[in-house]
Amino acid sequence: PGNGPPVPTAQPRPLVVDELSARERDVLRRLAEMRSTEEIATDLHVSVNTVKTHLKSIYRKLAVSRRGDAVRRAREARIL
């Protein structure tokens, strides 16, 4: 009794990441430096809305929903 097949344990998500564009990588690098959306926009000479659009795309491609998670996941995937 109790010697059935092993119960699968939760595996971390595979680090298969959709390719980030060069601009998304620029935004991600600045995100890792803890810069605000406004600072990133100023630095890249784009609007805040453009940065927000890039962030949404980055989050989707990295399968995350927060800045810190995006940076952590990008480091795990060797993007940063």
Side-chain angles (χ1 to χ4, degrees), residues 45-62:
H45 307 287
V46 297
S47 73
V48 169
N49 281 338
T50 298
V51 173
K52 288 180 180 179
T53 299
H54 287 309
L55 288 174
K56 284 181 192 172
S57 180
I58 291 166
Y59 295 168
R60 179 181 50 79
K61 289 180 178 182
L62 296 179

Side-chain angles (χ1 to χ4, degrees), residues 20-70:
L20 296 179
S21 71
R23 197 52 143 182
E24 289 165 349
R25 288 173 188 263
D26 289 342
V27 170
L28 190 58
R29 276 192 288 276
R30 286 161 176 80
L31 203 62
E33 296 170 356
M34 304 302 291
R35 296 192 191 192
S36 70
T37 304
E38 292 77 11
E39 290 170 328
I40 294 170
T42 299
D43 210 31
L44 297 177
H45 307 287
V46 297
S47 73
V48 169
N49 281 338
T50 298
V51 173
K52 288 180 180 179
T53 299
H54 287 309
L55 288 174
K56 284 181 192 172
S57 180
I58 291 166
Y59 295 168
R60 179 181 50 79
K61 289 180 178 182
L62 296 179
V64 298
S65 57
R66 296 190 313 230
R67 288 173 167 243
D69 292 339

